Amino acid sequence: MTAATGRTVPFFAPDLFDTEREALLAALYEVGTDPEQKFILGRRTARFEEALRDSLGAGDVVACSSGTSALTLVLAAMDIGPGDEVVVPAFGCAPLASTVLSCGATPVFADVDPVTLTMDPDHAEQLLTARTRALMPAHMFSVMADMPRLRDLASRAGVRLVEDAALAQGGTLRGRPAGLWGDAGVYSFVQVKVFGMPGEGGVVLSADAGLADRVRMLRNHGQDGRHRFLHHRIGHNSRFDEVMAAFQLHRLAGLEERVARRNAICSYYSEHLADLREDGVVAPPAGGDGRFPYVYTLLCEDRDGLRDHLAAEGIDTHVYYPRVLPEQPAFAPHARPGGEWPRARDAARRNISLPLYPHLTDERVEHVVTAVRAFAHGRNR
């Protein structure tokens, strides 16, 4: 299989929902012709929240318009605002900083662990001040953050713990699902996520009933869901779509099987790439506690060379977060002067992600492995 055959292994699969086309059309017709004519926050959304709550053992689940919106709602529900600080990872997606800034608070950037690429608890502790209101770690690629240590740190410091588990549905650590370690956690359902859907969406998870109630109110312009046009708080438009709720209820039954297939692909990659460290390619370990199968990411000294080599072999890759957050133009003015994030910078320089989705065939997985190995061995000839 060569470049002559064209793009044979796409990174973002164009046919993620092809086998469920009829179910999606049925959901659209069902909601569109329902005499109730309620297209947001209806009974299907309530059933979806209940189904997730039961499957996870969560205290409460509040569906909203996106993972980013979920973080925004949590921070607002915690009354975090001007004068407050929130410790976030220096390596990760923009919402880790932008949601903090949007509520008027200041993001404080912590370096990451060199192996998990998630927030380093030791550095986070060094950054705590009297203004710190929350820690907001994020699970990264396929590895959960060190939530036991971060939970302990937040409790000792008397600050809130917001768990960005947007990527991590299907992961567990010490028997506890991702998203349930913090005072609140979030998931994202954008299409390429583990429980993705053909649209935007997310949920807030919390065992704090008061916090969940505030989030539920804030997602709908500060209304309590019982008295329309009575606004108790300044809220947001972050409502969940009834068509997507019906579709996700349909897909929930197959989630475990899809997660298992993703895990199998991750394990195959790791088992067959584990010996390339001396060749400048570092693969995450196979399986283990705290793993989840969202994106399979390598660290490579010659990242651009590997990307070009795989492209020539018809394999699409993706580089997430090539610049650390405190060096982004939008966030640099808010970073602490003199801050250093060497491990985050290293991750930004070296990370490259391989294709990973449930219907990726064994033949294509083997092709990816063969191509990565050929590059690694060829560099040292």
Side-chain angles (χ1 to χ4, degrees), residues 73-74 77-78 160 183-184 206 208-216:
L73 295 174
V74 168
M78 291 178 173
R160 309 303 292 267
D183 296 290
S206 183
D208 182 334
L211 179 64
D213 286 345
R214 291 192 295 276
V215 168
R216 201 175 295 279

Side-chain angles (χ1 to χ4, degrees), residues 209-226:
L211 179 64
D213 286 345
R214 291 192 295 276
V215 168
R216 201 175 295 279
M217 186 180 295
L218 288 166
R219 73 175 173 180
N220 190 19
H221 297 296
Q223 300 172 98
D224 60 15
R226 299 184 299 275

Side-chain angles (χ1 to χ4, degrees), residues 91 117 141 279-282 296-312 315-324 343-354 371-372 375-376 379:
F91 180 67
L117 310 184
F141 299 139
D279 298 308
V281 177
V282 180
Y296 189 88
T297 301
L298 302 171
L299 295 178
C300 182
E301 288 300 324
D302 184 10
R303 190 257 310 281
D304 293 344
L306 176 57
R307 179 171 53 187
D308 292 345
H309 172 80
L310 294 179
I315 299 165
D316 282 343
T317 56
H318 198 68
V319 173
Y320 287 90
Y321 324 130
R323 181 180 294 186
V324 297
R343 296 188 295 276
R345 286 196 186 101
D346 187 64
R349 177 180 65 85
R350 297 168 64 204
N351 81 88
I352 181 170
S353 298
L354 305 180
V372 172
F375 171 80
R379 288 182 71 240

Side-chain angles (χ1 to χ4, degrees), residues 42-62:
R43 65 180 188 275
R44 296 167 187 85
T45 298
R47 289 207 309 268
F48 179 51
E49 292 172 337
E50 181 180 2
L52 282 181
R53 185 168 61 246
D54 291 345
S55 67
L56 292 165
D60 204 350
V61 174
V62 185

Side-chain angles (χ1 to χ4, degrees), residues 4 81 99 127 221 294-295 332 358-359:
T99 56
L127 298 172
H221 297 296
Y294 168 54
V295 164
H359 56 297

Side-chain angles (χ1 to χ4, degrees), residues 37-301:
Q37 291 291 282
K38 190 162 187 176
F39 304 119
I40 55 171
L41 299 185
R43 65 180 188 275
R44 296 167 187 85
T45 298
R47 289 207 309 268
F48 179 51
E49 292 172 337
E50 181 180 2
L52 282 181
R53 185 168 61 246
D54 291 345
S55 67
L56 292 165
D60 204 350
V61 174
V62 185
C64 56
S65 63
S66 70
T68 299
S69 184
L71 289 177
T72 300
L73 295 174
V74 168
L75 295 174
M78 291 178 173
D79 293 319
I80 292 174
D84 296 332
E85 295 178 346
V86 179
V87 180
V88 303
F91 180 67
C93 62
L96 288 164
S98 64
T99 56
V100 175
L101 288 164
S102 70
C103 70
T106 300
V108 178
F109 299 102
D111 208 357
V112 298
D113 179 274
V115 176
T116 67
L117 310 184
T118 61
M119 182 189 286
D120 174 12
D122 290 331
H123 193 218
E125 185 167 12
Q126 295 170 21
L127 298 172
L128 298 178
T129 71
R131 296 174 57 191
T132 306
R133 288 288 309 283
L135 303 176
M136 195 157 77
H139 307 314
M140 186 59 59
F141 299 139
S142 64
V143 186
M144 289 176 63
D146 191 342
M147 297 310 297
R149 288 189 61 199
L150 290 164
R151 175 70 273 174
D152 176 68
L153 174 58
S155 298
R156 286 190 287 109
V159 302
R160 309 303 292 267
L161 181 61
V162 180
E163 182 184 359
D164 184 351
L167 320 177
Q169 196 161 358
T172 61
L173 180 60
R174 298 188 183 179
R176 185 181 302 184
L180 301 189
W181 281 90
D183 296 290
V186 308
Y187 290 151
S188 168
F189 302 138
V190 74
Q191 68 266 27
V192 295
K193 298 294 196 299
V194 173
F195 193 26
M197 64 189 196
E200 289 274 7
V203 294
V204 173
L205 314 153
S206 183
D208 182 334
L211 179 64
D213 286 345
R214 291 192 295 276
V215 168
R216 201 175 295 279
M217 186 180 295
L218 288 166
R219 73 175 173 180
N220 190 19
H221 297 296
Q223 300 172 98
D224 60 15
R226 299 184 299 275
H227 305 96
R228 197 175 181 195
F229 302 127
L230 177 59
H231 304 274
H232 301 275
R233 298 178 60 130
I234 298 173
H236 302 262
N237 179 3
S238 183
R239 301 172 295 199
F240 202 78
D241 183 280
E242 282 286 281
V243 174
M244 291 295 98
F247 188 58
Q248 290 298 79
L249 280 166
H250 160 77
R251 299 193 78 231
L252 185 58
L255 177 60
E256 186 174 341
E257 181 181 353
R258 295 193 300 275
V259 168
R261 174 58 182 169
R262 282 175 169 266
N263 276 324
I265 294 170
C266 287
S267 294
Y268 187 90
Y269 279 155
S270 288
E271 289 164 5
H272 290 81
L273 301 175
D275 63 337
L276 300 181
R277 180 178 291 270
E278 296 301 318
D279 298 308
V281 177
V282 180
D289 201 21
R291 295 297 303 280
F292 60 91
Y294 168 54
V295 164
Y296 189 88
T297 301
L298 302 171
L299 295 178
C300 182
E301 288 300 324

